[in-house]
């Protein structure tokens, strides 16, 4: 992909776009980097995407929350020190950004096929180059940037990353974010914490996707909705790393509720779409949490082509987290990005700077919005007396 550096103008980008279309699912993270002019030259480019012509339905016997009315995000008795984050692909990169920028507030992190903090450095060539292949990632530059931003107060002090639980998953057959990228993420984290705090599964023949026992896709596949069943329960692993021993998960009908909430109040100006975020997001709330019992919070971040406009509520219902959350007093927040035709047509989270050059700092619009949601949820915290 080094040839990208020599391509300029809409014609060059369109040439690259057509090449990438033939190499789907690489589009998961990179097609949204093409300018609007290039995208305008192909009318039905989404039809080339793997799996785009047929979206699997919701699980048999599960009631779709799609018709749920939108409500305001409520406050719950959630301890601020229990907030963790998990994400895939662009959501994996965003999870790392949140962990590093808000290390005082984020306790643990689970990363499926993401990469090191500030990997793209605001550059399209970096994003589609070494941030996918892993070859030539300037690790020391990223570390220096992290330290400089922490020193300036634009992100939290890096000392808060130490001793936090980190789970990483990278499939050996992932050709979207190659394992070398995640290996570099491990090296990045080891700059700030002990390797004993990192659980890294890098041995399974998985393709690019969120790994869940409820996934409709086979392990070695990479197509919509990008939720793969690899015969393991990754959610049990990372939730145990985060919170210790768990009660058995609910294998029947969940007793908790899916709540569709308004995301607009959490962005500057009150218009989530202006920041490539949907007007609504989702929350899974166990009955105990709704009743005011002390609870924890996991923020689950979808990847590109996993936003609700593309896959409906499939990740919301099939992430594999809710079944454990239902019996362990864990609320799950599913913020929603969305597509914008000009800069983000695949609904990715901003991990390369399509919204702002400060995309990885605490001032970044999307990260600020997510943390505002977290603040609202945890505002009902009632410490035990």
């Amino acid at each position: 992909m080094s040839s990208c550096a020599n391509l300029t103008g809409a014609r060059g980008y369109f040439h690259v776009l057509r090449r990438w279309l033939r190499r789907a699912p690489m589009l998961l993270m990179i097609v949204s980097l093409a300018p609007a002019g290039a995208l305008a030259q192909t009318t039905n480019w989404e039809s080339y995407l793997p799996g785009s012509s047929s979206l699997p339905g919701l699980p048999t016997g599960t009631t779709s929350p799609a018709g749920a009315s939108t409500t305001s995000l409520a406050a719950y008795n959630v301890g601020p020190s229990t907030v963790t984050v998990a994400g895939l692909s662009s959501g994996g990169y965003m999870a790392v950004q949140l962990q590093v920028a808000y290390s005082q507030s984020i306790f643990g992190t689970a990363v499926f096929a993401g990469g090191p903090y500030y990997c793209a450095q605001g550059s399209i060539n970096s994003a589609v180059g070494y941030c996918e292949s892993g070859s030539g990632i300037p690790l020391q530059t990223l570390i220096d940037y992290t330290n400089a931003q922490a020193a300036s107060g634009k992100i939290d002090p890096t000392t808060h990353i130490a001793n936090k639980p980190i789970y990483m998953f990278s499939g050996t057959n992932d050709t979207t974010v190659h394992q070398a990228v995640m290996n570099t993420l491990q090296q990045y984290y080891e700059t700030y914490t002990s390797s004993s705090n990192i659980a890294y599964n890098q041995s399974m023949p998985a393709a690019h996707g969120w790994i869940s026992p409820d996934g409709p896709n086979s392990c070695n596949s990479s197509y919509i909705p990008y939720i793969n069943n690899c015969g393991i329960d990754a959610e049990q692993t990372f939730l145990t790393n985060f919170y210790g021993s768990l009660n058995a998960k609910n294998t029947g009908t969940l007793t908790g509720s899916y709540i569709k909430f308004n995301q607009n109040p959490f962005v500057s100006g009150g218009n989530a779409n202006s920041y490539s975020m949907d007007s609504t997001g989702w929350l899974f709330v166990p009955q105990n949490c709704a009743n005011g019992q002390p609870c924890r919070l996991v923020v689950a971040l979808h990847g590109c082509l996993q936003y609700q406009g593309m896959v409906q509520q499939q990740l919301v219902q099939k992430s594999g987290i809710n079944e454990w959350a239902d019996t362990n007093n864990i609320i799950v927040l599913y913020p929603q990005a969305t597509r914008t035709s000009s800069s983000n047509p695949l609904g990715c989270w901003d991990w390369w700077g399509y919204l702002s050059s400060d995309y990885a700092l605490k001032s970044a619009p999307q990260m600020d919005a997510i943390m505002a949601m977290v603040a609202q949820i945890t505002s009902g915290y009632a410490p035990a007396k």
Side-chain angles (χ1 to χ4, degrees), residues 5-246:
N6 299 321
L7 295 173
T8 59
R11 179 175 298 179
Y13 278 113
F14 182 52
H15 171 76
V16 174
L17 176 60
R18 288 188 299 177
R19 178 160 54 91
W20 286 336
L21 283 167
R22 293 193 297 269
R23 296 173 55 201
M26 294 293 258
L27 278 171
L28 253 174
M29 303 178 66
I30 57 180
V31 77
S32 53
L33 297 171
L39 293 172
Q41 296 182 51
T42 180
T43 55
N44 294 311
W45 59 270
E46 282 186 322
S47 65
Y48 293 90
L49 298 173
S52 64
S53 61
S54 178
L55 299 181
L58 291 165
T60 301
T62 299
T63 301
S64 170
S69 59
T70 303
T71 186
S72 298
L73 187 60
Y76 297 89
N77 187 7
V78 171
S81 64
T82 71
V83 178
T84 57
V85 63
L88 162 69
S89 195
S90 71
Y93 270 104
M94 179 65 85
V96 173
Q97 288 174 194
L98 285 166
Q99 166 77 88
V100 174
Y102 292 91
S103 58
Q104 285 185 281
S105 302
I106 302 297
F107 176 67
T109 309
V111 184
F112 295 101
Y117 179 77
Y118 198 59
C119 182
Q121 302 179 74
S123 165
I124 180 175
N125 293 326
S126 299
V128 302
Y130 55 65
C131 292
E132 288 178 354
S133 70
S135 177
I137 295 177
L139 177 59
Q140 190 57 51
T141 298
L142 306 183
I143 292 170
D144 291 344
Y145 177 84
T146 304
N147 295 340
Q149 300 312 309
S152 69
K154 294 181 179 179
I155 63 173
D156 287 346
T158 58
T159 52
H160 294 289
I161 301 174
N163 302 318
K164 301 290 179 67
I166 298 165
Y167 174 84
M168 297 169 48
F169 184 96
S170 177
T172 58
N173 292 333
D174 192 332
T175 58
T176 302
V177 178
H178 291 249
Q179 201 163 84
V181 180
M182 288 287 281
N183 294 344
T184 305
L185 174 60
Q186 181 182 31
Q187 293 177 289
Y188 175 88
Y189 271 135
E190 288 177 347
T191 304
Y192 301 105
T193 191
S194 168
S195 59
S196 62
N197 296 317
I198 303 171
Y200 184 14
N201 187 331
Q202 58 186 131
S203 61
M204 301 204 70
H208 194 71
W210 184 290
I211 309 303
S212 165
D214 300 321
N217 294 355
S218 64
C219 190
N220 189 26
S221 64
S222 192
Y223 55 86
I224 290 171
Y226 300 100
I227 311 172
N228 294 1
N229 186 339
C230 292
I232 64 170
D233 196 328
E235 289 66 41
Q236 179 184 18
T237 301
F238 70 70
L239 290 173
T240 300
N241 288 352
F242 293 167
Y243 301 125
S245 298
L246 301 172

